[in-house]
């Protein structure tokens, strides 16, 4: 028995129709020509596949981006937002496009800006997580009980994916992939092979400066090699805007080059015998110095690459 819903009366989603040339390549909503009141927003990227964008906390505005896939056997969500009210917004946006229940939530990034709203997901959803991220969340919860927000803790029955796991949900095959340690060490991606769509979460930051607080710089570069080698038609970033397919491929490549550039600059300074504190002030990131978060994330990136070069990164 299927109920008919008055979908025609609902504002469902915008679509990505702008041509590749007309899109301003930036994570900044104002430079992009958008208004702050345009967010949060739902974008239909393919039949039954959507992204949801809401702003990250802080003065510098850029989006945290989630993906959801609707099937006649329920909905899979890749990543949440950073607070319970914001993830509630995501859950409500899903309810506007489908009456299907949320079945799976993939924790692609274990960071709070993607998990601290998880209490807003319905009880009984199955979480999917990499074992390293499970350990990270459990350590954080032990150190600071209630950190998960709204009393949320990773349920004991969470499904662990350490390499790859294929799910069949309705007519959709959904592959959960670990492309290697990148931004968190437990980075999962969600691939829709039939549609050639790859949600990369924080392995791909679209025009946001490489954020390395918990990163593995050299392994992250290898994960980006693997992502590009998959030749998806659409790559979706965990931060920054949802792009059209052709732009998303160019921007993933651009992000890859930014990562290489930042790592190379840190290596150059390290090789020249510059101390890490001096390297932080001397580093020149060129064009990437204009990217969102460069002022706060540049020094963190230099310190992380030095840590790796000095053999202190495990
Ligand atoms: Zn994040």
């Amino acid at each position: 028995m299927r109920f008919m819903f008055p979908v025609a009366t609902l504002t469902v989603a915008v679509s990505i129709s702008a041509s590749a040339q007309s899109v301003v390549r930036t994570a900044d909503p104002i430079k992009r020509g958008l208004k702050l009141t345009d967010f949060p927003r739902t974008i239909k990227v393919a039949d039954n596949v959507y992204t949801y964008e809401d702003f990250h906390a802080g003065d510098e505005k850029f989006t945290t981006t989630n993906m959801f896939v609707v099937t006649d056997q329920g909905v899979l969500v890749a990543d949440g937002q950073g607070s319970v009210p914001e993830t509630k917004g995501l859950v409500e946006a899903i309810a506007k496009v489908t009456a299907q229940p949320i079945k799976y939530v993939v924790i692609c990034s274990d960071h709070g800006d993607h998990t601290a709203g998880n209490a807003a997901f319905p009880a009984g959803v199955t979480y999917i997580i990499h074992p390293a991220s499970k350990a990270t969340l459990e350590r954080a919860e032990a150190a600071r009980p209630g950190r998960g927000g709204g009393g949320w803790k990773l349920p004991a029955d969470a499904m662990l994916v350490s390499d790859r796991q294929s799910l069949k949900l309705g007519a959709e095959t959904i592959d959960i992939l670990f492309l290697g340690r990148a931004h968190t060490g437990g980075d999962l991606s969600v691939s829709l092979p039939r549609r050639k769509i790859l949600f990369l979460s924080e392995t791909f930051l679209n025009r946001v400066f490489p954020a390395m607080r918990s990163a593995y710089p050299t392994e992250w570069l290898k994960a980006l090699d693997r992502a590009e080698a998959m030749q998806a038609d659409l790559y979706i970033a965990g931060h920054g805007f949802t792009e059209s397919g052709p732009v998303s491929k160019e921007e993933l490549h651009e992000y890859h080059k930014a990562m290489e550039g930042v790592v190379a600059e840190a290596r150059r300074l390290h090789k020249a015998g510059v101390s890490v504190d001096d390297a932080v002030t001397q580093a020149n990131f060129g064009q990437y110095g204009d990217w969102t978060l460069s002022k706060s994330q540049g020094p963190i990136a230099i310190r992380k690459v030095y840590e790796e070069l000095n053999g202190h990164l495990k």
Side-chain angles (χ1 to χ4, degrees):
M1 179 76 190
R2 185 168 291 180
F3 292 93
M4 292 303 291
F5 281 82
V7 282
T9 66
L10 297 170
T11 304
V12 173
V14 297
S15 62
I16 35 173
S17 54
S19 74
Q21 283 68 33
S22 72
V23 160
V24 182
R25 311 294 178 101
T26 179
D28 181 326
I30 301 304
K31 287 183 189 155
R32 183 87 164 192
L34 296 163
K35 297 189 294 292
L36 300 186
T37 50
D38 292 336
F39 297 87
R41 62 178 187 170
T42 303
I43 296 174
K44 182 173 184 174
V45 297
D47 281 344
N48 300 314
V49 184
Y50 300 83
T51 61
Y52 180 81
E53 300 176 342
D54 199 357
F55 289 127
H56 191 271
D59 294 337
E60 215 173 334
K61 292 289 179 216
F62 62 98
T63 59
T64 296
T65 302
N66 318 124
M67 181 179 77
F68 61 95
V69 184
V70 177
T71 80
D72 60 9
Q73 296 292 316
V75 178
L76 176 139
V77 184
D79 280 343
Q81 291 283 327
S83 72
V84 175
E86 287 163 333
T87 298
K88 194 164 175 283
L90 164 64
V91 170
E92 287 167 358
I94 294 169
K96 277 187 186 163
V97 298
T98 181
Q100 288 289 335
I102 299 172
K103 283 267 180 71
Y104 293 100
V105 173
V106 188
I107 296 176
C108 299
S109 166
D110 58 56
H111 286 171
D113 54 333
H114 309 259
T115 58
N118 284 2
F121 287 122
V125 302
T126 298
Y127 287 90
I128 301 176
I129 189 167
H130 188 277
S133 285
K134 178 175 190 265
T136 297
L137 288 182
E138 287 172 351
R139 265 198 311 276
E141 176 65 26
R144 196 152 66 83
R147 170 214 166 270
W152 184 83
K153 268 193 260 183
L154 184 71
D157 65 352
M159 185 189 290
L160 298 181
V161 176
S162 56
D163 180 28
R164 64 184 301 148
Q165 174 75 50
S166 204
L167 298 174
K168 194 95 169 91
L169 194 60
E172 200 71 47
T173 299
I174 304 173
D175 293 335
I176 315 298
L177 306 173
F178 177 63
L179 298 177
R181 299 198 295 182
H183 177 79
T184 67
D187 309 80
L188 292 181
S189 296
V190 177
S191 169
L192 305 174
R194 187 167 62 87
R195 304 157 178 278
K196 301 191 80 178
I197 292 174
L198 184 61
F199 175 79
L200 282 165
S201 186
E202 296 203 274
T203 298
F204 174 22
L205 310 175
N206 183 9
R207 296 273 164 168
V208 176
F209 193 92
M212 297 201 194
R213 176 175 56 82
S214 57
Y216 298 87
T218 305
E219 291 167 69
W220 193 343
L221 288 169
K222 289 189 188 129
L224 288 165
D225 286 337
R226 291 185 195 107
E228 288 206 84
M230 286 176 68
Q231 300 194 354
D233 287 342
L234 175 66
Y235 291 101
I236 301 166
H239 290 293
F241 295 118
T242 307
E243 306 286 9
S244 66
V247 175
S248 78
K249 285 193 249 188
E250 290 176 6
E251 289 306 319
L252 175 62
H253 191 64
E254 189 62 26
Y255 182 70
H256 198 164
K257 285 199 302 189
M259 278 285 305
E260 285 170 349
V262 169
V263 170
E265 177 64 353
R267 282 191 184 138
R268 180 185 72 79
L269 292 159
H270 188 270
K271 199 173 169 201
V274 178
S275 75
V276 68
D277 291 329
D278 288 343
V280 161
T281 54
Q282 286 177 29
N284 178 355
F285 298 115
Q287 58 181 309
Y288 308 118
D290 295 331
W291 282 21
T292 294
L293 295 187
S294 65
K295 298 290 172 287
S296 57
Q297 292 298 330
I300 295 169
I302 294 290
R303 289 181 192 285
K304 186 58 70 171
V305 178
Y306 264 62
E307 197 182 326
E308 186 174 52
L309 290 169
N310 292 336
H312 296 150
L313 192 57
K314 285 173 187 68

